Amino acid sequence: MDTVIKNITLIDGTGHEPIENAVVAIREGKVLYTGSASGWSDGAEENITYLDLRGKFVLPGLIDCHVHLSGSGEADSQFQVPTGQMALKILKNAQRNLAAGITTVRDLGGWSELEFDVRRAIQRGEFAGPRMCLAGRFISITEAGADYYIGMYRVADGVDEVRKAVREQVKHGADLIKMGVTGAVLVESGVPGTTHFNKDEVHALVEEANKFGKRVAAHAHGIDGIRKAVQAGVNTLEHGTYLFQDPHVILHMAQHGIFLVPTLKVGWDIILAKDSKIPLWMMAKNKATQGEAALSLKMAYEADVPIAMGSDVGTPLNFHGENALEVYWMEQAGMSRMDALVSATGNAARALGWEAWLGTLEEGKVADLIVHDKNPLEDLRMLADKTSLQFVMKDGLISACHAGHQLPKELFAKNYLSI
Ligand SMILES: [Zn+2]
């Protein structure tokens, strides 16, 4: 059975101009054709379900390259819950992403390997949920953050321990490895500018990860740590707050295709919070670094460093389902509206190394798509507006929609969610 979506405006995620009066044809979960209606013919095929979505906007399902499924945006972020409850929380948060049109998430710090169990259950079709690219635990030196986030961290000091920590994540099924190269903003005693891992440890981690064909995401704020990470050959730089301090490092990232994942929303959510439960130290640290993080993104963008969207949802007041507001904050920091959108589609897939089959609506790629009532290119905040979002397809099947829909039954996944 084929599905043909017609009379739409197509924004395909590559950065090309939108195509009006477009068609998306889907066969066996993959894109068979996208483009102008004039280039499409049904041919001899008889078994076709048509979806006439006149006036609607169709985009690829969004990809968030930095989430924490184990956090739900608790104000103090020092949460401890029993294991069974945590597994359900991870599943619930994963579903909140899918129901908001985030069809793929990259989790950069899970909880006691429970996210792997959740992913298996979703892959078996027992529950609706997004595609999950998982790092397992956040590999860190001995530091206070490991006491805060007990199930999220894997403490490793010295080259041998670092190698062992990588092997553990690979054993559990990690798609990539996450390392904390500098201190953190969201740890009370953390000093974001301070380097944590030494050069030999960073190099050993990247070498060990690459040996298993795994990419590396480096959490780094301070410029010395950023420099160590990019010189060791990490694939994505998370946060990158003080990147602006060294244009040579920015140039190196552009030349080597190392992605910046700026995570601006997390800071804005705390700074703009009306919630008095946000600890004072957390407020002060975010106010001190937010302008610098935005400047670093602007400089990297202007220097042609590839940029991928990561919202860091799960952190305080940064709720699953609101991820797409990150795209708006990236535009506010200086990216063009279309480039900000591509950072959550085509470029995000490249940051994951999954671009051969994911991220844009092009022939042969998986048919993950979202349908909006309003044009997100008029206001990127629309991407997070659930009144505009009509339905979500994953693998060519409807995985989330509103109650009272009039969509054909045969297009639904076995399990689907309410928007
Ligand atoms: Zn994070």
Side-chain angles (χ1 to χ4, degrees):
M1 183 194 75
D2 292 352
T3 305
V4 174
I5 302 174
K6 58 182 191 174
N7 283 320
I8 52 165
T9 299
L10 173 70
I11 303 171
D12 68 8
T14 63
H16 294 147
E17 285 301 304
I19 301 171
E20 289 177 19
N21 190 21
V23 163
V24 176
I26 299 165
R27 178 175 290 170
E28 287 167 7
K30 302 249 169 47
V31 175
L32 184 63
Y33 173 84
T34 56
S36 159
S38 60
W40 169 253
S41 134
D42 294 340
E45 190 62 46
E46 285 173 3
N47 196 5
I48 299 175
T49 303
Y50 291 96
L51 271 179
D52 188 336
L53 301 179
R54 190 170 298 274
K56 305 283 190 265
F57 296 83
V58 173
L59 298 83
L62 303 181
I63 301 170
D64 190 333
C65 296
H66 191 137
V67 308
H68 297 281
L69 295 171
S70 56
S72 295
E74 297 88 344
D76 64 2
S77 79
Q78 298 185 50
F79 40 84
Q80 297 296 338
V81 297
T83 305
Q85 213 174 311
M86 180 54 98
L88 293 171
K89 183 178 171 186
I90 290 170
L91 174 62
K92 184 75 192 167
N93 285 336
Q95 292 187 333
R96 285 186 174 120
N97 284 275
L98 182 61
I102 315 294
T103 48
T104 301
V105 295
R106 187 177 70 151
D107 186 288
L108 293 186
W111 204 272
S112 303
E113 290 75 45
L114 294 169
E115 66 277 15
F116 294 102
D117 291 330
V118 170
R119 176 167 69 179
R120 273 188 287 276
I122 291 171
Q123 285 174 341
R124 282 196 299 260
E126 293 165 14
F127 299 97
R131 288 176 205 290
M132 291 160 70
C133 178
L134 301 176
R137 294 192 187 226
F138 179 121
I139 300 176
S140 156
I141 63 162
T142 294
E143 56 128 331
D147 300 336
Y148 260 45
Y149 306 105
I150 288 171
M152 187 185 291
Y153 275 53
R154 164 57 161 102
V155 169
D157 294 301
V159 165
D160 290 347
E161 266 297 299
V162 161
R163 288 191 191 277
K164 188 172 182 192
V166 170
R167 291 170 193 175
E168 286 172 7
Q169 309 320 306
V170 173
K171 180 183 92 169
H172 289 128
D175 300 287
L176 79 154
I177 304 298
K178 165 83 176 289
M179 82 179 313
V181 185
T182 72
V185 174
L186 297 179
V187 174
E188 186 168 5
S189 61
V191 181
T194 302
T195 304
H196 278 186
F197 277 115
N198 296 330
K199 188 177 167 189
D200 59 344
E201 293 168 316
V202 181
H203 279 263
L205 184 141
V206 173
E207 186 184 79
E208 196 67 23
N210 290 349
K211 196 177 84 182
F212 293 105
K214 307 299 178 189
R215 296 162 77 87
V216 176
H219 158 113
H221 293 285
I223 191 64
D224 177 65
I226 292 173
R227 194 179 293 118
K228 284 190 168 70
V230 303
Q231 284 174 353
V234 303
N235 303 94
T236 65
L237 172 66
E238 311 300 311
H239 316 302
T241 305
Y242 297 107
L243 181 59
F244 73 91
Q245 290 175 344
D246 192 343
H248 297 292
V249 175
I250 294 176
L251 187 64
H252 180 94
M253 288 178 70
Q255 285 169 342
H256 291 81
I258 298 172
F259 279 79
L260 173 64
V261 182
T263 68
L264 300 176
K265 181 178 182 303
V266 48
W268 285 119
D269 285 338
I270 290 168
I271 290 167
L272 301 174
K274 306 261 188 303
D275 189 329
S276 58
K277 289 199 212 74
I278 291 287
L280 287 174
W281 63 263
M282 193 184 282
M283 180 65 83
K285 283 175 85 177
N286 277 282
K287 280 185 175 163
T289 52
Q290 190 68 8
E292 288 159 329
L295 174 61
S296 290
L297 167 56
K298 185 168 190 289
M299 285 176 62
Y301 173 62
E302 286 169 357
D304 288 332
V305 173
I307 312 287
M309 187 276 268
S311 64
D312 218 350
V313 284
T315 53
L317 309 186
N318 188 1
F319 302 108
H320 291 273
E322 296 178 357
N323 324 44
L325 291 175
E326 176 73 18
V327 181
Y328 167 76
W329 289 119
M330 293 165 92
E331 182 200 4
Q332 296 302 303
M335 290 182 77
S336 80
R337 210 166 272 175
M338 183 59 100
D339 286 342
L341 182 60
V342 170
S343 80
T345 53
N347 256 15
R350 271 193 281 278
L352 271 54
W354 289 0
E355 71 274 16
W357 54 274
L358 182 77
T360 56
L361 290 173
E362 295 178 288
E363 261 179 61
K365 296 203 180 179
V366 294
D368 286 5
L369 60 85
I370 54 178
V371 178
H372 271 273
D373 197 25
K374 301 193 187 104
N375 183 359
L377 289 173
E378 280 175 12
D379 182 347
L380 289 173
R381 284 173 290 191
M382 212 69 82
L383 290 169
D385 180 349
K386 291 194 167 186
T387 61
S388 175
L389 181 63
Q390 301 299 296
F391 65 87
V392 179
M393 269 187 169
K394 185 183 151 209
D395 288 318
L397 295 173
I398 296 170
S399 303
C401 68
H402 290 282
H405 65 84
Q406 297 197 323
L407 296 159
K409 274 199 206 71
E410 65 270 26
L411 293 186
F412 278 80
K414 187 176 79 176
N415 297 303
Y416 63 93
L417 306 167
S418 294
I419 290 175

